[in-house]
Amino acid sequence: MEKQIPFTGILSNNVEDNPDFFNWNRVKIRYCDGASFAGDGEDKAAQLQFRGQRIWSAAIEDLMSKGMRFARQALLSGCSAGGLATIIHCDEFRGFFPQTTKVKCLSDAGLFLDAIDVSRGHTIRNFFSGVVRLQGVQKNLPHICTSHLDPTSCFFPQNLIAGIRTPLFILNTAYDSWQVQSSLAPSSADPHGFWHDCRLNHAKCTSSQIQYLQGFRNQMLNAIKGFSRSRQNGLFINSCFAHCQSERQDTWFADNSPVIGNKAIALSVGDWYFDRAVVKAIDCPYPCDNTCHHLVFR
């Protein structure tokens, strides 16, 4: 919990680095509850309390009292767990503002898929299930989902995005490096280490491993099919091995930042937010995109 963090990318106040949002009031809500601001439960015996939902509500109410209620335009965004929080709380955020306010949401690297791992197990589903149960998340998930699916399924964005009424932009890499490492090929699902090198560096993946990852991309494209039919929603799915692209300057907007069809992420999000264009950008499969900023781990 650093005392200061640099505001870069979509949070930058420099017009050259952030052409559409540089002069906005920008707020970062610090996150530490471990359930995308959706928990509200306690384990008295273990002396554990989870209050993510209350922390989220208190933070927004505080901001509204400080003048956010007068905003003419608002954008809720977040990356990774914050990207999931954006999806879970998007309509709720919309409800804080008058109907005349333009409100949209941007989820960056929050499209965690209910995927099967390399040992045919359910690593991420088991992980999410534990979070949902421990923190009593069920009551804070959208009822449009929990009315027909189990609570863990409703913590996966693929089961939420079609029901969100507020315009939403999904920004995600097709080979999300966090998901490759923690959901698809974690060491727990790879006891013999076949995926060890590939997990850290995509350039070391075998052709059959790349083929497996193409299947993950196909699952992602399938998950957003219905969502993408709505004109008000936006998409930028680039074929990179990375995670979180909106708050990093090199990926958000720079001379060599990632593009799809010659358009950078910052301009794609700006065009969508201000209704300058319909943005439904889906990249060709790896390795066709040479503008990626791939993450390589040691």
Side-chain angles (χ1 to χ4, degrees):
M1 288 295 255
E2 314 93 318
K3 292 279 184 285
Q4 279 191 313
I5 49 170
F7 271 31
T8 55
I10 195 172
L11 293 175
S12 170
N13 62 358
N14 184 336
V15 64
E16 273 115 42
D17 294 335
N18 189 22
D20 278 309
F21 305 106
F22 74 96
N23 59 351
W24 284 40
N25 293 296
R26 291 148 293 116
V27 178
K28 186 168 177 107
I29 304 178
R30 293 309 289 265
Y31 165 71
C32 67
D33 74 297
S36 291
F37 290 113
D40 191 19
E42 60 188 305
D43 182 331
K44 283 208 167 77
Q47 293 186 301
L48 290 171
Q49 287 184 308
F50 299 99
R51 296 291 185 246
Q53 179 66 43
R54 300 185 196 199
I55 293 166
W56 152 262
S57 302
I60 298 297
E61 282 163 17
D62 184 61
L63 290 167
M64 295 306 272
S65 75
K66 286 179 161 68
M68 193 165 77
R69 66 188 184 278
F70 302 120
R72 291 188 306 278
Q73 305 177 124
L75 174 62
L76 178 67
S77 75
C79 113
S80 197
L84 175 56
T86 296
I87 290 169
I88 292 171
H89 295 291
C90 181
D91 283 342
E92 191 189 332
F93 182 71
R94 173 74 196 86
F96 279 97
F97 294 91
Q99 275 311 113
T100 50
T101 309
K102 182 189 190 86
V103 181
K104 297 190 180 187
C105 305
L106 162 64
S107 173
D108 176 11
L111 195 59
F112 300 102
L113 295 182
D114 189 1
I116 290 173
D117 64 41
V118 294
S119 68
R120 314 283 314 145
H122 292 270
T123 296
I124 191 160
R125 174 165 267 276
N126 295 338
F127 172 46
F128 273 18
S129 169
V131 170
V132 168
R133 276 204 314 272
L134 177 69
Q135 297 213 26
V137 168
Q138 177 171 1
K139 58 185 171 292
N140 295 320
L141 294 170
H143 297 298
I144 191 167
C145 180
T146 52
S147 61
H148 69 281
L149 289 177
D150 64 278
T152 300
S153 294
C154 295
F155 203 59
F156 280 101
Q158 67 199 66
N159 299 316
L160 297 173
I161 51 178
I164 294 172
R165 299 181 304 277
T166 309
L168 172 65
F169 192 106
I170 290 178
L171 163 62
N172 226 97
T173 53
Y175 315 96
D176 186 304
S177 53
W178 187 91
Q179 293 188 68
V180 171
Q181 291 180 6
S182 305
S183 165
L184 296 182
S187 45
S188 57
D190 179 38
H192 302 294
F194 298 133
W195 281 82
H196 177 269
D197 292 353
C198 171
R199 185 165 56 236
L200 300 176
N201 181 354
H202 67 280
K204 295 186 174 169
C205 299
T206 65
S207 57
S208 63
Q209 285 171 331
I210 291 294
Q211 199 177 339
Y212 185 91
L213 296 172
Q214 300 295 13
F216 177 76
R217 173 179 177 270
N218 291 339
Q219 188 184 343
M220 185 178 290
L221 298 185
N222 221 21
I224 55 174
K225 258 202 182 100
F227 167 86
S228 68
R229 285 194 198 105
S230 169
R231 197 183 156 81
Q232 70 175 9
N233 294 329
L235 274 178
F236 192 103
I237 308 288
N238 54 337
S239 293
C240 307
F241 288 80
H243 183 68
C244 288
Q245 301 181 99
S246 62
E247 290 176 41
R248 281 179 50 165
Q249 195 57 55
D250 65 304
T251 47
W252 175 248
F253 194 61
D255 289 342
N256 69 337
S257 52
V259 296
I260 298 178
N262 291 329
K263 193 188 284 190
I265 295 167
L267 300 180
S268 302
V269 172
D271 282 354
W272 162 80
Y273 185 88
F274 293 104
D275 303 303
R276 296 188 295 242
V278 174
V279 181
K280 301 281 164 66
I282 296 176
D283 216 348
C284 46
Y286 175 86
C288 71
D289 187 339
N290 60 6
T291 70
C292 286
H293 291 203
H294 297 298
L295 297 181
V296 175
F297 302 84
R298 288 201 219 303

